[in-house]
Amino acid sequence: MMNGPEKSDSAIRAMKPANKAASAAAEWAEQRAGTEGNTGQPHTRRTQSRGSVSQRLDRVRNAARQRKKEKFTALLHHVTVDLLRESFLALKRRAAPGVDGVTWKDYEVGLEDNLQDLHARVHRGGYRALPVRRRFIPKPGTDKQRPLGIAALEDKIVQRALVAVLNAIYEEDFLGFSYGFRPGRNPHDALDALSVAISGTPVNWILDADIRSFFDSVSQEWLVRFLGHRIGDERVIRLVRKWLKAGVLEEGNWSVSEMGTPQGAVVSPLLANVYLHYVFDLWAQQWRRREANGHVIFVRYADDIVAGFEHEADARRFWDAMRTRFEKFGLELHGEKTRLLEFGRHAAERRQRRGAGRPETFRFLGFTFICGKSRRGAFLLHRKTRGDRIRATLQEIKAQLRSRMHDAIPEQGRWLKAVVTGFFAYHAVPTNTRALHAFRYHVTDLWRRTLRRRSQKDGLTWDRMARLAAEWLPPPRVLHPWPNQRFAVKHPR
């Protein structure tokens, strides 16, 4: 058990047992949670046939579970007007429009007629995918920019509906150590699985794998072939091809590529998971069973892969084999970011005996993983918020505060409260309280500096600033349970 000085609020829900008891700790199955809704938004014209939509998809799900190698030759009829309506209502109301300029509010006018027309075009083959509008946003912690794709509204609706149908199949196929962008799974599930595996199994080496420009390197030809293993409905395959060939519109210039998935598209995460399911997941599972001499664990969140090994020899052989495997399918491991490091319960002791210094750290899903100790001197895995992520967030807050400098203090306070609350909601894990306190302190200091700039005669003291922070900013406290506590409830043995 992992013990420490920090306490956390309960966030535990009952889950179902694992599919395979022999699987590694990081790969137990979990019950699907309810779909995350758009809270605070009006549920206009919610369909009363949602139950029938769910029942039809349940039949698809049961067939996929019982017949693992069967192709589904009739799927498009599950994309009904009711499902399109649910997809539309699930979209963000204030999202930026795509190349068509149509917003959610625009489409809501005459919604039923719009959906009937869209449904008819999809089923008769008259639906045409529009290019993705591309713009660039700053990449956190770097001077680089990240491309952001904005799809047209109708493309989002159709893609979301089709993803719901395809999830009924692929959620029965995907393996337990795949966590990214799956219904009912979130980054903290992957973080918990990895933490429990490192703390409770004989993991001595970590392979931190980074795929170079994954979403731009996916072979569309291989992707369609992979889809063909389970999808025999050519109408569905044609829809996917339309989205792959729709291209990108950037500053009035249209371009299309034979590689990559459409960035910003609702369907992209599922397509990426399908690609890596066949390229990595199934292959890695077989490699572990047939080639490994010791214990091996995997955790994958989209294209972020962490593998743990009992023996260094296994880790190096797997690294070489994975490099060869990826090259076959157009992928490349990043030479500088992919690392093998000694890590685990006994890493510090072994390295101390060799005079090699403290164990290295690695990053995963916004946290730095550190070989630490509890107050009693026992091994305790520490997870700290990445420093570059904190700095990037503070830079964004600083810029926003400058633009809100002359807003009333209550307005600034309400905005900062939402920002800090959101940061804590993700990062408030055990062993990370120091980073939470530091973040709140720096936010308070940025707010103080902004208020002092409003007037050269401003005499804002730290005492008054502390009172403002106490009134508006939530106190730093751990919100997530220890990984072994939550993991044990989700995956009872």
Side-chain angles (χ1 to χ4, degrees):
M1 298 290 290
M2 290 186 286
N3 301 300
E6 303 175 73
K7 296 182 180 180
S8 56
D9 293 347
S10 176
I12 297 176
R13 52 191 173 93
M15 309 302 288
K16 70 175 184 179
N19 293 327
K20 299 179 181 179
S23 297
E27 301 165 35
W28 283 62
E30 59 181 295
Q31 179 180 329
R32 297 294 178 251
T35 303
E36 185 176 335
N38 297 296
T39 57
Q41 296 172 339
H43 298 291
T44 56
R45 290 192 286 277
R46 286 290 188 183
T47 175
Q48 296 182 356
S49 57
R50 177 181 294 179
S52 63
V53 172
S54 178
Q55 290 174 2
R56 287 194 291 269
L57 294 184
D58 281 342
R59 290 195 291 270
V60 174
R61 189 174 297 110
N62 291 333
R65 183 184 307 120
Q66 295 169 8
R67 299 186 289 275
K68 290 294 186 180
K69 295 185 178 181
E70 180 172 316
K71 287 187 178 183
F72 290 80
T73 57
L75 285 174
L76 194 62
H77 69 278
H78 291 288
V79 179
T80 62
V81 174
D82 292 330
L83 186 55
L84 292 173
R85 185 185 301 107
E86 287 190 17
S87 300
F88 169 77
L89 293 171
L91 295 176
K92 293 181 179 179
R93 270 62 166 167
R94 298 181 180 179
V99 296
D100 58 352
V102 178
T103 66
W104 192 93
K105 289 293 185 182
D106 295 334
Y107 205 81
E108 188 186 25
V109 179
L111 176 62
E112 294 306 315
D113 290 338
N114 292 334
L115 293 177
Q116 290 286 350
D117 176 66
L118 177 60
H119 177 264
R121 283 185 281 125
V122 168
H123 283 266
R124 72 169 183 263
Y127 162 77
R128 294 289 181 267
L130 295 177
V132 172
R133 182 166 68 88
R134 175 181 287 174
R135 65 187 185 93
F136 291 87
I137 59 175
K139 192 173 183 179
T142 69
D143 296 330
K144 300 179 181 179
Q145 289 189 319
R146 172 176 295 168
L148 175 66
I150 304 174
L153 187 74
E154 284 197 337
D155 291 336
K156 292 180 184 178
I157 296 172
V158 179
Q159 288 179 19
R160 196 177 190 97
L162 189 62
V163 165
V165 175
L166 296 183
N167 272 338
I169 299 171
Y170 285 110
E171 280 302 302
E172 302 301 326
D173 290 355
F174 290 156
L175 303 188
F177 58 77
S178 168
Y179 286 90
F181 307 113
R182 293 180 57 185
R185 294 194 167 200
N186 60 58
H188 280 282
D189 295 323
L191 290 165
D192 286 350
L194 182 57
S195 300
V196 170
I198 292 174
S199 301
T201 62
V203 170
N204 300 313
W205 295 86
I206 290 291
L207 179 61
D208 180 14
D210 183 271
I211 304 176
R212 189 190 299 272
S213 302
F214 169 72
F215 286 93
D216 294 328
S217 303
V218 169
S219 167
Q220 296 177 6
E221 179 182 356
W222 274 112
L223 175 59
V224 172
R225 290 176 64 178
F226 291 149
L227 288 170
H229 290 322
R230 287 294 252 167
I231 311 302
D233 191 334
E234 286 298 323
R235 298 171 299 173
V236 172
I237 299 297
R238 280 197 295 270
L239 276 178
V240 173
R241 287 185 184 275
K242 286 180 180 181
W243 293 322
L244 293 175
K245 301 302 181 184
V248 173
L249 191 66
E250 182 181 347
E251 296 182 354
N253 298 319
W254 177 77
S255 62
V256 65
S257 173
E258 297 294 328
M259 307 294 293
T261 59
Q263 293 184 355
V266 177
V267 74
S268 287
L270 174 62
L271 297 181
N273 273 334
V274 170
Y275 198 81
L276 285 175
H277 173 71
Y278 288 102
V279 172
F280 177 78
D281 295 357
L282 295 177
W283 169 81
Q285 184 184 53
Q286 289 297 320
W287 190 96
R288 178 177 57 192
R289 291 174 178 174
R290 297 175 180 177
E291 303 292 336
N293 295 318
H295 192 82
V296 180
I297 62 100
F298 302 109
V299 175
R300 180 176 69 79
Y301 193 92
D303 59 327
D304 290 334
I305 301 172
V306 176
F309 301 85
E310 183 178 1
H311 303 306
E312 181 183 5
D314 280 348
R316 295 196 178 279
R317 287 191 297 110
F318 180 82
W319 189 357
D320 291 337
M322 181 168 61
R323 185 186 298 110
T324 302
R325 173 74 176 179
F326 280 1
E327 288 175 355
K328 179 180 178 182
F329 297 97
L331 302 180
E332 178 186 1
L333 287 175
H334 198 294
E336 298 178 358
K337 295 182 179 180
T338 299
R339 300 182 303 141
L340 179 64
L341 56 146
E342 193 173 9
F343 198 94
R345 292 176 294 172
H346 308 294
E349 299 174 8
R350 289 195 304 266
R351 292 177 66 85
Q352 186 177 17
R353 288 196 298 266
R354 301 198 309 267
R358 299 177 62 181
E360 294 181 79
T361 63
F362 70 94
R363 296 171 172 180
F364 185 61
L365 299 181
F367 290 92
T368 299
F369 282 65
I370 306 168
C371 289
K373 291 184 178 181
S374 68
R375 288 183 174 181
R376 297 181 179 180
F379 172 79
L380 178 64
L381 180 67
H382 286 199
R383 296 176 298 173
K384 303 293 184 183
T385 301
R386 290 174 50 172
D388 58 336
R389 296 291 176 85
I390 292 180
R391 289 190 293 271
T393 304
L394 290 175
Q395 286 294 329
E396 293 176 6
I397 292 174
K398 181 179 180 181
Q400 282 290 325
L401 281 174
R402 291 298 297 271
S403 66
R404 300 168 182 263
M405 179 185 299
H406 298 289
D407 291 352
I409 288 180
E411 292 182 19
Q412 295 179 352
R414 282 189 289 269
W415 177 77
L416 284 172
K417 180 180 179 180
V419 172
V420 175
T421 300
F423 184 89
F424 286 174
Y426 184 81
H427 293 276
V429 301
T431 73
N432 197 35
T433 51
R434 183 176 297 178
L436 302 180
H437 280 278
F439 179 78
R440 186 179 184 274
Y441 169 81
H442 287 298
V443 170
T444 303
D445 188 41
L446 288 174
W447 193 11
R448 181 183 69 88
R449 292 168 181 264
T450 301
L451 292 177
R452 286 177 65 91
R453 288 193 181 98
R454 301 209 297 190
S455 172
Q456 294 180 350
K457 297 181 180 180
D458 191 288
L460 184 65
T461 64
W462 262 109
D463 288 339
R464 185 190 172 204
M465 197 65 237
R467 291 194 297 272
L468 285 176
E471 180 180 359
W472 292 106
L473 304 185
R477 61 190 178 94
V478 175
L479 302 176
H480 294 272
W482 289 91
N484 59 340
Q485 295 174 352
R486 181 162 54 189
F487 197 79
V489 173
K490 288 185 175 182
H491 317 299
R493 300 263 180 171

